[in-house]
Amino acid sequence: MSIERQGGENMKINLTETVAELGVNKNDTEEYTRALSDTLRGYIHSTREEQGLSQRALATKAGITQKAISTYENGLTVISLPSLFKIMAVLGIEVTISIPEVVENEQ
């Protein structure tokens, strides 16, 4: 996985590289989006637990609801960008996501 520690507790995650390592077809928008979402869910859950935070504690610090954290971690909803930024700031994670160029099929 493409994770690097940046001194102290901060961590950098390059989701584009991580998803590419999974062999996901970037031209399959649905598959690519699902892989990004699944990868984010995993990082949120594992980092939250590594830091000893409950869902409620993370939610309180991020200014969102515990139910939102639960639904993200369980894959019931796709995380919004504002919520993602809030959660990652609390967890001390910098996320890089590149939007791949999609090759359209000519018909």
Side-chain angles (χ1 to χ4, degrees):
M1 297 201 176
S2 299
I3 305 172
E4 13 176 303
R5 294 253 175 222
Q6 295 293 315
E9 295 298 314
N10 292 334
M11 194 178 356
K12 282 182 108 169
I13 300 171
N14 187 320
L15 284 175
T16 306
E17 289 179 11
T18 301
V19 171
E21 290 170 6
L22 297 174
V24 175
N25 178 358
K26 69 179 182 181
N27 294 319
D28 183 337
T29 309
E30 187 175 325
E31 178 185 9
Y32 191 81
T33 302
R34 186 173 41 253
L36 280 174
S37 182
D38 289 348
T39 302
L40 277 172
R41 286 189 304 110
Y43 283 129
I44 290 169
H45 179 80
S46 63
T47 305
R48 176 183 62 75
E49 287 192 336
E50 285 172 11
Q51 294 184 13
L53 294 171
S54 66
Q55 288 181 346
R56 183 169 309 283
L58 175 57
T60 299
K61 289 181 177 197
I64 58 179
T65 66
Q66 181 273 327
K67 184 176 180 179
I69 300 290
S70 177
T71 59
Y72 301 149
E73 287 188 1
N74 291 303
L76 302 175
T77 60
V78 175
I79 193 168
S80 69
L81 286 177
S83 293
L84 172 65
F85 296 145
K86 290 175 184 178
I87 290 168
M88 293 306 188
V90 169
L91 296 176
I93 299 172
E94 180 182 325
V95 178
T96 302
I97 305 172
S98 301
I99 307 300
E101 182 179 330
V102 177
V103 178
E104 304 226 2
N105 294 335
E106 293 183 26
Q107 296 186 17

